[in-house]
Amino acid sequence: MRNYAKDSGVSYNTIHMIEKGELNPSPEIIKKLTSKQASPQNGVTYEAVMSAAGYKTENDEAMVSEEALELAKHMLEEENEHSFLSPRVKQSREYRENEIRRIKTLARGMVFDALLEKGIDFGVNSREESSYRLRNNDMLLTIDHGDIKKWLLTFMCTTGGSYGGLFYHDTLGRYMTFEGGKDIKFSWVTNDPRAFARYKGYEHKLLFRGEMSLILVDTDAQKIVSETYLSNYFLGDYSREFYIV
């Protein structure tokens, strides 16, 4: 599966979630999974996988909903300036929520892949197992990397535009109320380059006692772009820092 992920350019975690039925792949991902360089098993075709995923293609006359068809067309032609999605679908709350959920799933997968590549052992703590007041955007990992034993990530991903300063300040405020320590790392994960550039100005300057970093991801390219530390548990002591990019 790891070789397949490398050849197709789709993250290992994404393929794993598709196989478990936890993620329905977009037409763009299906293109990569069925490309010639990916050498899909048994020569499975793009049309076959599109049909299995519920999309309609030129060679598949199966009935699908108009909204699913519009979404498939949009994703297949996303490099084109013209969108096939109607204004109604674009403004649909359900559509936005699904897109944000998809983006966060990709971002989580990239973090998992990066940890696996670095050989760092980790596990996911459930909400019930943690003493932290986690929200839907949060993920708590147990890891084994020097002094760091826990890693709390908050995924501040959006479908467009900026999250705005209030969301970041709110996250920082929540972090400050948590039971910290020198064995935990806090990270904000964003796909907003403007927000990342803004808060990067606080590199090693934020008045927060804890190992905290800001991570920029590119979910279209499926890669982690950059990571910067905003604060440390001990002022001026960078020995506990570890980067996933």
Side-chain angles (χ1 to χ4, degrees):
M1 192 183 292
R2 296 191 190 285
N3 290 336
Y4 187 30
K6 181 179 179 181
D7 294 339
S8 66
V10 178
S11 74
Y12 170 87
N13 185 67
T14 297
I15 296 175
H16 183 56
M17 293 184 72
I18 291 172
E19 285 205 336
K20 292 201 306 180
E22 296 178 356
L23 176 67
N24 196 51
S26 69
E28 182 184 22
I29 291 177
I30 293 174
K31 273 186 176 180
K32 293 180 179 180
L33 292 175
T34 56
S35 64
K36 184 177 180 180
Q37 62 267 26
S39 301
Q41 202 172 40
N42 299 323
V44 66
T45 64
Y46 169 78
E47 288 76 17
V49 181
M50 281 287 286
S51 177
Y55 299 110
K56 187 175 181 180
T57 68
E58 293 180 359
N59 298 329
D60 180 16
E61 297 301 325
M63 296 299 293
V64 294
S65 69
E66 288 300 317
E67 186 167 334
L69 179 57
E70 287 184 348
L71 180 59
K73 287 181 178 178
H74 169 69
M75 300 185 80
L76 285 169
E77 302 293 338
E78 60 184 1
E79 295 181 359
N80 195 305
E81 295 180 356
H82 304 289
S83 171
F84 286 92
L85 281 174
S86 68
R88 176 185 61 82
V89 176
K90 284 183 178 179
Q91 298 301 319
S92 164
R93 178 178 178 180
E94 181 180 0
Y95 170 73
R96 291 197 304 272
E97 289 177 349
N98 288 337
E99 273 297 280
I100 291 175
R101 190 178 299 112
R102 181 184 69 84
I103 290 170
K104 288 177 183 176
T105 298
L106 289 174
R108 285 194 295 267
M110 284 183 275
V111 171
F112 291 159
D113 285 346
L115 290 172
L116 288 169
E117 288 179 4
K118 289 183 175 292
I120 300 176
D121 292 332
F122 69 94
V124 180
N125 268 348
S126 70
R127 188 167 304 190
E128 292 74 23
E129 294 171 338
S130 76
S131 60
Y132 298 93
R133 300 180 301 279
L134 301 184
R135 298 180 180 177
N136 291 333
N137 292 340
D138 298 330
M139 181 176 69
L140 182 65
L141 300 180
T142 56
I143 66 171
D144 186 10
H145 191 274
D147 293 331
I148 304 299
K149 304 302 179 184
K150 292 177 288 186
W151 192 7
L152 178 59
L153 300 107
T154 299
F155 293 87
M156 308 183 71
C157 300
T158 178
T159 57
S162 173
Y163 242 111
L166 289 177
F167 290 93
Y168 291 90
H169 294 324
D170 174 68
T171 299
L172 177 59
R174 288 198 303 119
Y175 284 175
M176 294 179 73
T177 65
F178 290 159
E179 180 183 349
K182 58 186 178 182
D183 66 340
I184 183 170
K185 175 180 177 179
F186 301 89
S187 292
W188 308 349
V189 182
T190 182
N191 63 337
D192 183 355
R194 291 172 297 178
F196 182 84
R198 176 182 177 186
Y199 284 90
K200 192 178 187 302
Y202 294 104
E203 187 173 9
H204 293 130
K205 298 177 182 177
L206 214 55
L207 298 179
F208 172 77
R209 189 176 187 187
E211 302 297 313
M212 180 161 57
S213 75
L214 179 63
I215 299 171
L216 177 64
V217 299
D218 184 337
T219 52
D220 290 330
Q222 294 193 35
K223 69 176 183 178
I224 298 174
V225 179
S226 184
E227 180 179 11
T228 183
Y229 265 76
L230 305 179
S231 66
N232 305 96
Y233 185 77
F234 293 115
L235 190 63
D237 181 358
Y238 309 146
S239 61
R240 290 171 176 78
E241 292 185 356
F242 73 90
Y243 296 83
I244 59 173
V245 62

